């Protein structure tokens, strides 16, 4: 083999090696580009997920805030309605309280009522000796019906006539005045207590109104507002 043939073979080998190198370089370049595109796609998708999650989080926050605001507005409206209902009910009670004052104006009827209240209190206490308190303005009327009340109690219970002491030092508050309608007052009636003060029966007109009003409150609300509050 002469020099020309050797040179030709060497050139062929060089071309072959160069071609393989170029092909390998192309493969590496294509592979690198594919990996880059895959990684870029993964990064883009990851960022998209983050953005979606952040959007969903903020959307939930807005939704929760709207629900809270709606609930607060609803509660405020309910409170206003309940307050208006309470105001109306209290107005009815105040009106009924003013009507109580007229009872004491009818002396004969009021005297019978005082007697009945005393008998009822005695039946509750079942004490042989009691202390009675009334308004100072009612003292004479109370004393005028005491004997009848004691006899009626004794007949109903088949016991001895009880001893009733009218407290002449401490009286129940007077009727409310126009200048102080919300001050301490009493519309009438009596308070009886055992001599040791441990058992007390408050049988004033105001106390009876409170009891009746509490008992009838569901019915009153139903008549006024169409349903009974839970």
């Amino acid at each position: 083999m002469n020099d020309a043939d050797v040179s030709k073979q060497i050139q062929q080998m060089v071309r072959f090696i160069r071609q393989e190198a170029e092909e390998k370089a192309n493969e590496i370049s294509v592979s690198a580009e594919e990996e880059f595109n895959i990684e870029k796609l993964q990064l883009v998708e990851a960022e998209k997920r983050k953005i979606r999650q952040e959007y969903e989080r903020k959307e939930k926050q807005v939704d929760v805030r709207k629900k809270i605001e709606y609930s607060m507005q609803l509660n405020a409206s309910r409170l206003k309605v309940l307050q208006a209902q309470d105001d109306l009910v209290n107005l009815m009670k105040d009106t009924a309280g003013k009507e109580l004052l007229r009872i004491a104006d009818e002396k004969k009827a009021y005297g019978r009522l005082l007697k009945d209240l005393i008998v009822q209190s005695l039946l509750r206490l079942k004490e042989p000796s009691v202390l009675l308190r009334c308004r100072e303005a009612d003292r004479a009327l109370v004393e005028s019906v005491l004997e009848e009340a004691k006899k009626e109690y004794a007949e109903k219970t088949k016991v001895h006539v009880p001893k009733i002491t009218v407290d002449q030092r401490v009286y129940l508050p007077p009727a409310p005045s126009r200048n102080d309608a919300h001050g301490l007052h009493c519309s009438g009636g009596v308070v009886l207590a055992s001599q040791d003060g441990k058992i007390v029966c408050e049988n004033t007109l105001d106390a009876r109104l409170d009891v009746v009003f509490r008992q009838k409150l569901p019915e009153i609300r139903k008549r006024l507002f169409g349903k009974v509050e839970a």
Side-chain angles (χ1 to χ4, degrees):
M1 182 179 296
N2 55 30
D3 292 341
D5 292 334
V6 171
S7 177
K8 188 176 180 180
Q9 273 191 336
I10 290 172
Q11 287 177 357
Q12 286 178 347
M13 289 176 64
V14 169
R15 283 196 299 271
F16 177 76
I17 292 170
R18 184 178 294 168
Q19 185 177 354
E20 276 196 341
E22 288 176 353
E23 289 177 355
K24 192 67 176 176
N26 286 334
E27 287 179 6
I28 293 172
S29 177
V30 170
S31 177
E33 188 173 357
E34 287 179 353
E35 289 179 2
F36 171 75
N37 288 332
I38 291 172
E39 188 174 351
K40 182 175 71 173
L41 184 62
Q42 289 175 343
L43 289 172
V44 170
E45 288 300 321
E47 288 301 317
K48 284 182 179 179
R49 278 197 303 273
K50 285 183 181 179
I51 293 171
R52 281 196 297 268
Q53 289 172 354
E54 182 66 15
Y55 175 78
E56 289 172 358
R57 185 182 67 82
K58 290 184 177 180
E59 191 176 32
K60 287 180 181 178
Q61 286 180 341
V62 171
D63 188 49
V64 169
R65 193 157 52 242
K66 285 182 178 179
K67 288 180 179 178
I68 292 173
E69 289 175 357
Y70 173 76
S71 178
M72 290 175 65
Q73 290 175 357
L74 185 62
N75 287 336
S77 298
R78 285 175 177 169
L79 288 174
K80 286 182 180 179
V81 171
L82 290 174
Q83 185 61 54
Q85 291 179 353
D86 286 342
D87 290 344
L88 181 57
V89 169
N90 289 331
L91 178 61
M92 288 186 62
K93 187 178 179 182
D94 290 342
T95 302
K98 291 176 182 177
E99 290 296 320
L100 290 180
L101 298 175
R102 298 184 181 183
I103 296 176
D105 294 337
E106 299 290 336
K107 295 301 180 184
K108 187 176 290 187
Y110 184 48
R112 289 195 299 270
L113 177 60
L114 285 173
K115 186 263 296 181
D116 291 339
L117 292 175
I118 293 170
V119 173
Q120 186 183 62
S121 300
L122 290 170
L123 290 170
R124 289 181 181 176
L125 292 175
K126 292 184 172 61
E127 291 286 320
S129 178
V130 298
L131 180 68
L132 182 150
R133 284 178 181 163
C134 62
R135 299 187 305 181
E136 189 172 9
D138 294 338
R139 177 183 159 189
L141 193 57
V142 167
E143 290 176 340
S144 70
V145 299
L146 272 185
E147 290 303 318
E148 186 180 355
K150 288 192 287 186
K151 288 179 182 178
E152 184 175 329
Y153 168 74
E155 290 174 0
K156 286 184 176 182
T157 56
K158 309 299 182 185
V159 297
H160 293 294
V161 173
K163 178 184 177 183
I164 301 178
T165 304
V166 178
D167 194 335
Q168 299 183 14
R169 293 181 303 170
V170 180
Y171 292 99
L172 298 180
S177 63
R178 292 182 179 179
N179 297 329
D180 189 17
H182 298 287
L184 192 63
H185 66 271
C186 177
S187 301
V190 293
V191 174
L192 272 69
S194 57
Q195 288 295 337
D196 58 10
K198 292 182 178 179
I199 308 174
V200 178
C201 178
E202 187 177 358
N203 225 353
T204 63
L205 301 185
D206 306 278
R208 293 182 69 85
L209 175 62
D210 287 339
V211 171
V212 171
F213 210 79
R214 282 197 300 270
Q215 291 175 345
K216 295 292 184 180
L217 189 56
E219 183 180 342
I220 292 171
R221 286 188 174 276
K222 186 176 181 180
R223 286 179 177 272
L224 288 175
F225 314 121
K227 65 178 180 179
V228 180
E229 293 293 331

